[in-house]
Amino acid sequence: MTAPTEALAPTHRIPAHLSHNFISGEWVPARSGATFPDRNPARPAEIIAEVADSDIDDALAAVEAARLAGPEWAGVGSIQRGKILFRAADIMDRRKEELARVITTEQGKKLSEARSEVERATEILRFIAGEGRRLSGSTLPADEPRSMALTWHRPLGVVALITPWNFPLAIPVWKAAPALLSGCTAVIKPSPLAPLSTAVMVEILAEAGVAPGALNLLQGDREPGEALTSHPDVRGISFTGSLPVGQKIQSAAAHRLARTQLELGGKNAVIVLADADLDAAARAIVHGAFGQAGQRCSATSRVVVEASVREELVSRIVERVSGMVVGDPFADDTDLGPVVDSSRLAACVDAVEGAVAIGARVRTGGHAVTETADGSGGYFMAPTVLTGVPADSEIATEEVFGPVLSVIDASGFDEAMEISNSVRYGMSGTIFTENRAHIFDALERFEVGMLHVNRPGVGAWPHLPHMGAKLSQYGAPECSAETWEFYTELRSACISF
Ligand code: NAD
């Protein structure tokens, strides 16, 4: 077993092997020797590690390792594979603090949020591990005498798992665990903005008993990503990230009929009607909009409120937000850490300036925070609330992916629903109301994959499908038993005796 990574703050020490690729059970540098820097977004001058910058040759080697490992891993059996995942969950529990520190150091979310991410990842591992005893087909009536018919699942084959930086442990776990449980072999490629959290996950799975070659780690960005998605031996691509990259992957996969599972962006609305509990709504909105610095696919980015209660609601939100402490994500009293990099910070500032130019009003925040107590120079954005935002403006229809909340007026339930549904995304949606008819109307009419009623619009449970509607999602949902639609092929047999 490898010694756990040392406590990472303030001096961040990562064992050297974790910055390599992991191919056929070996930690190896990129074949070209190239590396890229993994920076701490709270202190950008600090390079946490120089990480393997893979190219096409590394991608080919990783896919070949997965292909060669396929038959033996498929033969292990799902119950045994489940036992390996249970062991991995136990190791992850043991390494929780170390993992949380790696996440906070390279991604920037608060340490408490990183600990929650590790807990969630561990729960997902255990849920998927238990599926090893339930991954069943069915027996069916036969058309002929002395005959029977049955169905069962076979692993899809080699799959590519391409992940974003915002949940650098939980998302890799909810792809790698079902891939391995189903008997697929995989190449996982995390985001270059948070590569090491995934490397620790791969190390844990290997220590738990995943066979060499069954799970390979490929670091880098677009070049190895494209090599994976266009490789003829890759039968399926599970991708979480932005819509434009998802669309490219779909095109690359289409001509060879490779299967895809695409989890994409969101522009999530919370509807607040005049009869709602405004304190509860304000609490939930602040949690959904500013938790993880607004960098969740399900983050609350629009509040669509009945105009008669707008000011009462906004004053409650602003009261909570204006006192938030922005700064070091390791500090106990910090409410909001940095966004992930300089381009994300610039995108947040640009979005606010664009909104103000068309008449929106900044009620709190609205700017980058350059003066933090520790003088770190990190990528900090003040938590921002805007009112008077036109429903069809860019900030109200496209992802900002940062701590910026737009408040939009509506005349009542029907208009609120129309505004909420007017965007191309449909990840999560929330409604606050005491009116039961409107709650059931929302079930019918809210065009979202995940609906929340009188509770925060974020958060997911391992046994519930994680999915969006419209352009937020394509293919089978993740988590839940529905994910087998992606990782397995259903087979049938007719037997006469
Ligand atoms: P991104 O699309 O820029 O990158 C995602 C991954 O794709 C990274 O690993 C990247 O290296 C890789 N990649 C980039 N170009 C590629 C290409 N041409 N071919 C193959 N791979 C390529 O997204 P991001 O900035 O890392 O993440 C933020 C986005 O992810 C947001 O849009 C957010 O909404 C979305 N997201 C969605 C969910 C969900 O469940 N729907 C969850 C988290 C994040």
Side-chain angles (χ1 to χ4, degrees):
M1 182 185 141
T2 314
T5 309
E6 296 290 322
L8 287 169
T11 305
H12 310 287
R13 282 198 283 154
I14 301 279
H17 65 276
L18 288 178
S19 54
H20 294 338
N21 290 330
F22 187 69
I23 297 178
S24 295
E26 303 286 335
W27 293 97
V28 288
R31 290 180 173 210
S32 68
T35 60
F36 64 86
D38 181 19
R39 285 181 195 279
N40 177 346
R43 299 189 196 100
E46 177 186 307
I47 293 174
I48 306 159
E50 287 288 345
V51 179
D53 197 2
S54 308
D55 61 18
I56 292 174
D57 287 344
D58 301 297
L60 294 179
V63 173
E64 183 61 3
R67 192 185 67 77
L68 291 174
E72 201 173 322
W73 184 244
V76 169
S78 65
I79 294 176
Q80 187 55 32
R81 292 192 296 258
K83 287 181 181 170
I84 292 171
L85 296 188
F86 275 123
R87 271 204 296 278
D90 291 344
I91 300 170
M92 199 169 276
D93 262 344
R94 262 203 331 268
R95 294 180 69 174
K96 174 178 165 184
E97 188 59 19
E98 171 210 354
L99 258 167
R101 285 172 177 274
V102 175
I103 293 171
T104 293
T105 306
E106 66 176 357
Q107 197 274 349
K109 67 183 68 177
K110 287 189 300 174
L111 188 57
S112 57
E113 293 172 332
R115 288 179 181 133
S116 301
E117 180 172 348
V118 182
E119 281 164 18
R120 183 171 167 200
T122 311
E123 279 180 5
I124 294 167
L125 259 179
R126 292 206 166 99
F127 169 76
I128 296 291
E131 287 288 288
R133 290 189 180 272
R134 283 187 290 265
L135 190 56
S136 54
S138 49
T139 53
L140 300 158
D143 273 40
E144 295 157 12
R146 294 188 56 76
S147 297
M148 64 184 293
L150 53 95
T151 66
W152 74 102
H153 292 269
R154 290 291 300 156
L156 181 62
V158 176
V159 290
L161 314 174
I162 300 179
T163 56
W165 45 265
N166 64 336
F167 285 92
L169 178 70
I171 293 176
V173 163
W174 82 45
K175 292 184 192 299
L180 292 167
L181 192 282
S182 65
C184 292
T185 52
V187 179
I188 188 161
K189 198 209 75 60
S191 164
L193 291 175
L196 298 172
S197 312
T198 311
V200 180
M201 175 202 78
V202 167
E203 182 177 55
I204 287 171
L205 284 162
E207 186 189 333
V210 170
L215 178 64
N216 303 279
L217 171 70
L218 188 64
Q219 298 289 11
D221 198 3
R222 194 167 54 82
E223 185 177 341
E226 284 176 350
L228 290 179
T229 56
S230 57
H231 196 298
D233 289 340
V234 171
R235 299 284 322 282
I237 302 144
S238 180
F239 168 80
T240 302
S242 61
L243 175 61
V245 175
Q247 287 166 323
K248 272 191 204 158
I249 289 175
Q250 183 62 18
S251 304
H255 78 278
R256 65 176 201 280
L257 305 185
R259 204 179 273 182
T260 55
Q261 178 182 50
L262 309 176
E263 303 279 343
L264 307 168
K267 189 69 201 174
N268 312 297
V270 173
I271 293 177
V272 182
L273 298 183
D275 64 1
D277 175 341
L278 297 182
D279 282 326
R283 249 193 331 273
I285 289 165
V286 171
H287 176 64
F290 303 107
Q292 317 245 6
Q295 300 172 117
R296 293 169 161 128
C297 60
S298 55
T300 300
S301 61
R302 295 180 293 160
V303 170
V304 184
V305 56
E306 235 177 303
S308 59
V309 294
R310 183 230 306 135
E311 280 310 305
E312 279 180 76
L313 179 70
V314 168
S315 65
R316 285 168 166 83
I317 295 173
V318 168
E319 191 186 322
R320 288 171 179 275
V321 173
S322 52
M324 281 183 160
V325 176
V326 179
D328 179 5
F330 279 99
D332 287 341
D333 63 347
T334 293
D335 295 303
L336 199 76
V339 295
V340 76
D341 69 357
S342 58
S343 67
R344 189 102 316 277
L345 183 59
C348 291
V349 172
D350 285 355
V352 172
E353 286 175 0
V356 169
I358 55 166
R361 196 175 142 208
V362 176
R363 304 296 289 264
T364 186
H367 52 86
V369 179
T370 45
E371 301 288 319
T372 52
D374 59 0
S376 62
Y379 305 127
F380 297 104
M381 177 74 193
T384 299
V385 179
L386 299 165
T387 52
V389 177
D392 59 355
S393 59
E394 188 171 348
I395 197 169
T397 53
E398 291 302 328
E399 269 190 314
V400 177
F401 225 60
V404 178
L405 179 68
S406 296
V407 180
I408 302 165
D409 287 356
S411 55
F413 176 78
D414 286 323
E415 197 191 12
M417 196 51 75
E418 203 177 300
I419 292 169
S420 300
N421 288 339
S422 65
V423 298
R424 58 188 181 153
Y425 294 114
M427 181 55 62
S428 81
T430 308
I431 182 163
F432 276 86
T433 179
E434 296 300 315
N435 181 322
R436 267 177 292 161
H438 285 332
I439 292 173
F440 284 94
D441 281 343
L443 289 174
E444 285 287 317
R445 289 174 54 185
F446 220 143
E447 294 169 358
V448 292
M450 296 179 284
L451 178 67
H452 299 268
V453 178
N454 293 329
R455 63 182 308 282
V458 293
W461 299 320
H463 60 294
L464 275 184
H466 182 84
M467 61 186 180
K470 303 200 287 192
L471 294 191
S472 290
Q473 161 100 30
Y474 183 85
E478 298 201 86
C479 302
S480 76
E482 270 75 17
T483 201
W484 306 126
E485 285 171 33
F486 173 75
Y487 289 102
T488 68
E489 282 178 334
L490 196 63
R491 302 279 175 85
S492 79
C494 302
I495 303 167
S496 293
F497 48 91

